[in-house]
Amino acid sequence: MTAAVSLIVLLVVLGSSIAVAAGMGLVGQILNQLYSPMPLTRMLGELTWSTTTNFILTAIPFYIMFGEILLRSGIAERMYNALVQWLSWLPGGLMHSNIGSCALFGSVSGSSVATAATIGVVAIGEIDKHNYNERLFLGTLAAGGTLGILIPPSINMIIYGVMTDTSVPKLYLAGFIPGFILTLLFSLTVLIACLWKPHWGGEKIPTSWQARIRTLPDLVPPLALLMIVIGAIFFGIATATESAAVGIIGALAITAWRRRLSLTMLRDVCEATVRTTAMVVAILVGAFFLNVVIQTIGLTQQLGKLITAYQLTPVQVLTAVIVLYLVLGTFMEELSMMISTIPITTPLILQAGYDPVWFGILLVLLIQTAMVTPPFGINIFVIHGIRGRGTLADVEKGSAPFVVALLLMIGLICVFPDIAMWLPRIVG
Amino acid sequence: MKRLQAIAEGISRGGAIVGGAMLLLAAVTICIDIVLRYAFSLTVGGADELSGYALAIASAWGFSAALLSRSHIRIDTVYVRVTKRARATLDLVSLAAFVFFAALVAWHAWGVLRQSYVSGSHSLSAIEMPLVVPQTLWFAGLAFFVAVALLLLARALFAYLKGDLDKLFELIGSKSAVAEAEEEIIAVERAFDSERKQ
């Protein structure tokens, strides 16, 4: 009963377009009034303070700042041109460079929107220049961009880690191989499409070994940052937050080397970072409060009992959760979907006997899928906006083959959990 | 009231820049800490604590900047499918809910600050930071956020009663996701343009 009421209240409040942060706070307050034996609101001050001074969460503004600096450092364009030389001989040409660039940029960036926007702006002019099938080309950018949150670092993994008390370095390790496989699956999708319809693949781009060698220095900055940011975590030298801080200094050094460092640039970086951070933190404060209320009124136990009563098997619970995310993901903004559902779904999954690290990776894959499924897919909006012509439906249709690849990846990780769990096991 | 909002925008922009600078400084401090730890086996400590304060203060001041630029996330599945008048009403309800929750948080934050002041609390760490210092800056950001939200609510209500719905949307309307995406793209393009000029 409590569960049903809570869910309805949450849906009504968030559905009425109340800001997600305030909405979750409000629902927390309502449930507190209805069901809690003690006034939990009194904890709100202490809760906000302890949440926002959490050292692990500091990684979020650091990664956002890191991305803002990278954007202004000019490494993306050079990196893309280098990968064009190395990857465009494949059937599908530049579309493989798109996916490769997204994967490489994703391995220094913690955000999918930033990855799609950055690579998208660099690549989009090539569609007309080389006569590509526009839809598929757009799809590679929208879907490739989602790799930003699967390949570590990842802002979404940090949020999941903090909310569920799961080790962020382990999540990073677990995301690595699935990220690699998914990149290959995306490329394979392009390959199959272009072997079937060769004219989709555009005109050949002249490449030569000399040109390839010449572009190598342009790959050094992103690879060096990747080594610093990810290497430091993998080898246990630094925590996720520390490595993000080192990444900021590294990105600043590259910006200075390219003579692009200025006070105006720093001011813009600071302002943009704080605005985005505040938006994320506001939702987190609301969610942490709601989380405390949910736990106090025993909502999770109630759901757990429900599952026992209906004698649901772990696989059934998992299937239900996956379907829930696929449905919610079509119309809900991705970040809010993740934060508002974690307190409910994660305990259920853990109770069913699944590993929290493994579920974190599955959740990220589901969020990626949500980012490229209409009507609300943030990456579709981003790529459509960059293109500046045609209809949203073009990007949606172009992304469809990659949604199939994502669903395949979700299936793979469910059947072979070791794809995610092998690396954290041997390193940890 | 228009001038009041211009002032509020100036302050919140300044707050965001200072907050961002604090975060940048925290990143530098952490790097120095790592270098000292590995190169000289020195543990100074406190860098993690300071960056926590930077996050709390920067986000408290960032709330108002995000509100003024209408960046707080809202689920607009229903919103985009109703009449203009209903949308305006939803905007007012949304902001009123924000004022309510923000005021609740700020009120209890005040309690935290007062408690730290009365008991003279210091952080349990090497630097023994008197908690009143970061908490005052934090609370000031939250209080400012409530004030800005109230100002916006008053202006929007005024516009609503006058029937000037376009004005209301301009003040507190929900930005469509497409508009959000466009802003992201403009930022990226601006960054690349400055590169091409060089």
Side-chain angles (χ1 to χ4, degrees):
Chain A
M1 187 57 207
T2 325
V5 172
S6 312
L7 203 64
I8 290 166
V9 173
L10 187 70
L11 284 178
V12 168
V13 168
L14 292 188
S16 61
S17 87
I18 287 178
V20 175
M24 281 193 282
L26 197 65
V27 173
Q29 179 66 3
I30 294 171
L31 294 182
N32 173 32
Q33 296 288 349
L34 285 178
Y35 300 114
S36 173
M38 52 193 161
L40 296 167
T41 322
R42 255 185 244 162
M43 298 170 47
L44 206 45
E46 199 48 57
L47 192 73
T48 309
W49 176 251
S50 63
T51 304
T52 53
T53 51
N54 183 322
F55 182 60
I56 305 178
L57 284 183
T58 321
I60 295 175
F62 284 173
Y63 282 129
I64 293 172
M65 185 174 271
F66 184 41
E68 293 283 345
I69 298 172
L70 274 186
L71 176 64
R72 292 166 173 84
S73 69
I75 72 166
E77 235 168 349
R78 288 158 192 263
M79 184 186 84
Y80 184 79
N81 291 331
L83 287 180
V84 166
Q85 285 294 322
W86 286 93
L87 296 176
S88 66
W89 58 272
L90 289 158
L94 287 180
M95 292 190 270
H96 297 285
S97 321
N98 291 350
I99 293 166
S101 301
C102 284
L104 192 55
F105 195 81
S107 63
V108 287
S109 160
S111 146
S112 284
V113 172
T115 306
T118 310
I119 305 302
V121 167
V122 177
I124 213 110
E126 310 291 329
I127 301 176
D128 290 345
K129 260 191 242 165
H130 304 287
N131 276 323
Y132 275 92
N133 176 290
E134 190 162 13
R135 286 181 177 166
L136 194 65
F137 195 95
L138 297 170
T140 58
L141 293 170
T146 67
L147 290 168
I149 58 169
L150 180 62
I151 302 177
S154 161
I155 291 174
N156 296 59
M157 286 186 199
I158 292 172
I159 293 175
Y160 175 82
V162 170
M163 289 187 78
T164 62
D165 245 332
T166 309
S167 147
V168 174
K170 274 200 176 140
L171 285 165
Y172 278 8
L173 283 166
F176 211 73
I177 295 178
F180 187 72
I181 296 179
L182 188 59
T183 309
L184 292 183
L185 281 180
F186 282 167
S187 255
L188 197 66
T189 310
V190 173
L191 206 65
I192 293 171
C194 290
L195 286 175
W196 179 45
K197 299 252 164 139
H199 63 280
W200 283 0
E203 294 146 11
K204 268 259 168 300
I205 303 209
T207 52
S208 69
W209 280 101
Q210 280 128 329
R212 280 184 193 154
I213 306 292
R214 246 199 330 271
T215 60
L216 279 181
D218 291 336
L219 288 174
V220 171
L223 288 175
L225 283 175
L226 189 153
M227 284 307 291
I228 298 173
V229 174
I230 296 305
I233 301 172
F234 278 15
F235 296 112
I237 299 169
T239 63
T241 312
E242 286 172 344
S243 88
V246 177
I248 289 182
I249 307 302
L252 278 179
I254 290 173
T255 318
W257 176 50
R258 292 264 157 84
R259 299 179 181 285
R260 220 161 278 142
L261 192 65
S262 68
L263 267 181
T264 331
M265 178 244 164
L266 279 179
R267 195 195 60 203
D268 290 349
V269 165
C270 285
E271 200 187 341
T273 303
V274 169
R275 194 168 292 163
T276 312
T277 304
M279 179 203 93
V280 178
V281 167
I283 297 180
L284 279 173
V285 168
F288 273 81
F289 177 58
L290 181 60
N291 202 359
V292 169
V293 175
I294 283 179
Q295 279 171 6
T296 313
I297 65 177
L299 194 67
T300 0
Q301 289 94 310
Q302 229 185 47
L303 280 174
K305 270 186 206 147
L306 213 65
I307 286 172
T308 327
Y310 284 95
Q311 294 183 319
L312 292 181
T313 62
V315 175
Q316 284 170 326
V317 175
L318 183 66
T319 313
V321 168
I322 291 176
V323 171
L324 172 83
Y325 279 112
L326 289 176
V327 173
L328 282 181
T330 57
F331 63 88
M332 216 172 152
E333 195 277 329
E334 287 76 23
L335 184 75
S336 339
M337 170 179 91
M338 173 182 150
I339 298 177
S340 60
T341 54
I342 282 178
I344 299 166
T345 54
T346 314
L348 289 181
I349 287 289
L350 300 193
Q351 202 191 346
Y354 293 100
D355 186 278
V357 174
W358 175 82
F359 181 63
I361 303 303
L362 178 67
L363 185 60
V364 168
L365 283 168
L366 288 163
I367 294 165
Q368 283 182 271
T369 312
M371 287 173 160
V372 285
T373 43
F376 194 110
I378 190 74
N379 275 22
I380 292 177
F381 297 144
V382 169
I383 296 302
H384 172 67
I386 294 175
R387 179 182 173 217
R389 65 178 190 207
T391 61
L392 261 179
D394 290 333
V395 192
E396 287 163 2
K397 283 179 186 145
S399 305
F402 302 99
V403 172
V404 176
L406 272 160
L407 293 176
L408 184 66
M409 187 69 217
I410 290 169
L412 277 177
I413 209 171
C414 289
V415 180
F416 308 106
D418 266 356
I419 295 174
M421 299 311 291
W422 179 72
L423 204 55
R425 199 168 46 233
I426 59 157
V427 177
Chain B
M1 278 214 283
K2 205 172 171 181
R3 255 194 64 202
L4 214 53
Q5 184 167 345
I7 295 170
E9 268 163 18
I11 296 175
S12 97
R13 188 151 177 253
I17 293 170
V18 174
M22 285 172 80
L23 286 167
L24 188 57
L25 210 63
V28 174
T29 319
I30 289 175
C31 288
I32 295 173
D33 192 64
I34 297 173
V35 171
L36 288 179
R37 194 166 65 211
Y38 282 97
F40 308 100
S41 309
L42 270 176
T43 34
V44 185
D48 48 350
E49 189 183 331
L50 290 176
S51 55
Y53 299 147
L55 174 59
I57 296 164
S59 41
W61 282 92
F63 291 153
S64 52
L67 186 68
L68 285 166
S69 62
R70 300 185 284 145
S71 313
H72 285 291
I73 296 174
R74 295 166 64 181
I75 313 284
D76 59 5
T77 316
V78 175
Y79 182 88
V80 294
R81 285 176 178 76
V82 294
T83 61
K84 214 172 161 190
R85 181 125 212 123
R87 266 210 306 272
T89 316
L90 284 177
D91 283 332
L92 280 174
V93 171
S94 173
L95 186 59
F98 225 141
V99 169
F100 170 75
F101 187 58
L104 214 58
V105 171
W107 172 252
H108 291 284
W110 168 247
V112 171
L113 172 61
R114 202 184 45 193
Q115 185 59 39
S116 298
Y117 176 74
V118 172
S119 55
S121 323
H122 287 64
S123 65
L124 300 165
S125 68
I127 51 173
E128 288 186 35
M129 170 71 89
L131 284 177
V132 175
V133 179
Q135 282 177 350
T136 304
L137 290 170
W138 168 67
F139 171 73
L142 291 175
F144 180 69
F145 174 52
V146 177
V148 169
L150 276 173
L151 174 68
L152 276 178
L153 187 60
R155 287 199 72 190
L157 204 59
F158 210 60
Y160 187 77
L161 294 176
K162 266 199 345 205
D164 190 355
L165 296 186
D166 290 325
K167 174 90 195 160
L168 180 140
F169 292 139
E170 185 194 313
L171 285 168
I172 63 167
S174 178
K175 248 191 237 172
S176 73
V178 177
E180 292 275 356
E182 268 159 16
E183 278 181 18
E184 177 83 21
I185 294 152
I186 289 166
V188 174
E189 277 170 349
R190 199 179 294 147
F192 283 135
D193 278 348
S194 64
E195 175 176 350
R196 289 199 189 97
K197 267 179 218 145
Q198 279 169 349

